[in-house]
Amino acid sequence: MIVAPLRNLGRPACGPLNVRVARIADAQQVDGASVTPNFFSVLGITPVLGRDFTPAEGVVGQNHAVLLGYGLWRRRFGGDPTIVGRSIRLDGESYQVVGVVPLGKEYPRDAELWVPLAFTEHDLTTQRGAHYLDVIGRTVTMAALVTVTVEVSR
């Protein structure tokens, strides 16, 4: 287990996502990311509209929420502030828009939307060798990168 110097030890992670965003009759392919609910709070990013993911949205079956990137929100939804609380379709499934991520705060770099990453108990016990997620953290003020690297590699 990692102890200080890492802050907010919720083990935030993100993985790639590529979905079709449908609006009325047309759809557009969009790159995004599946992220743990604490992903944006660890990065210190607050939505410009709406809210961040809640811990409950990291549970399988309750993870049909989506955060839109600012550019996607402006381009695809006309910057409509009433989009928060409404449903959109991602790959044919309904997701509720909970917020909009500020311009320039997109991570990974090409992501335009984010959905909560949820694991089943089976995933947690059998997928330990899967290497499709990036795990991130923030160091506390005087923590040396070397110290963090040593602790993470344990």
Side-chain angles (χ1 to χ4, degrees):
M1 177 174 181
I2 301 170
V3 281
L6 293 182
R7 172 188 320 177
N8 198 344
L9 296 179
R11 291 181 188 82
C14 71
L17 178 70
N18 185 276
V19 295
R20 293 186 62 77
V21 178
R23 185 188 70 176
I24 308 171
D26 62 342
Q28 174 186 9
Q29 202 71 25
V30 173
D31 287 326
S34 296
V35 299
T36 52
N38 64 340
F39 180 79
F40 288 102
S41 64
V42 168
L43 291 176
I45 298 171
T46 303
V48 293
L49 190 64
R51 62 170 175 80
D52 197 351
F53 296 128
T54 65
E57 289 164 337
V59 175
V60 173
Q62 297 179 33
N63 58 330
H64 276 235
V66 61
L67 278 159
L68 303 175
Y70 191 88
L72 178 65
W73 172 59
R74 297 288 300 174
R75 183 179 73 252
R76 190 77 178 151
F77 301 99
D80 181 1
T82 66
I83 191 70
V84 173
R86 293 187 6 216
S87 291
I88 63 172
R89 302 204 58 82
L90 303 179
D91 283 346
E93 293 187 37
S94 182
Y95 284 74
Q96 182 182 33
V97 177
V98 297
V100 176
V101 174
L103 185 63
K105 299 295 183 178
E106 301 85 3
Y107 182 88
R109 193 174 98 206
D110 295 330
E112 291 193 275
L113 60 78
W114 298 263
V115 298
L117 183 59
F119 296 104
T120 64
E121 189 62 37
H122 181 263
D123 294 335
L124 294 174
T125 57
T126 63
Q127 302 297 315
R128 292 179 121 358
H131 298 283
Y132 65 94
L133 296 175
D134 292 329
V135 179
I136 61 168
R138 282 175 53 182
T139 59
V140 293
T141 316
M142 298 302 285
L145 183 57
V146 172
T147 304
V148 172
T149 304
V150 167
E151 293 213 17
V152 169
S153 65
R154 288 183 187 175

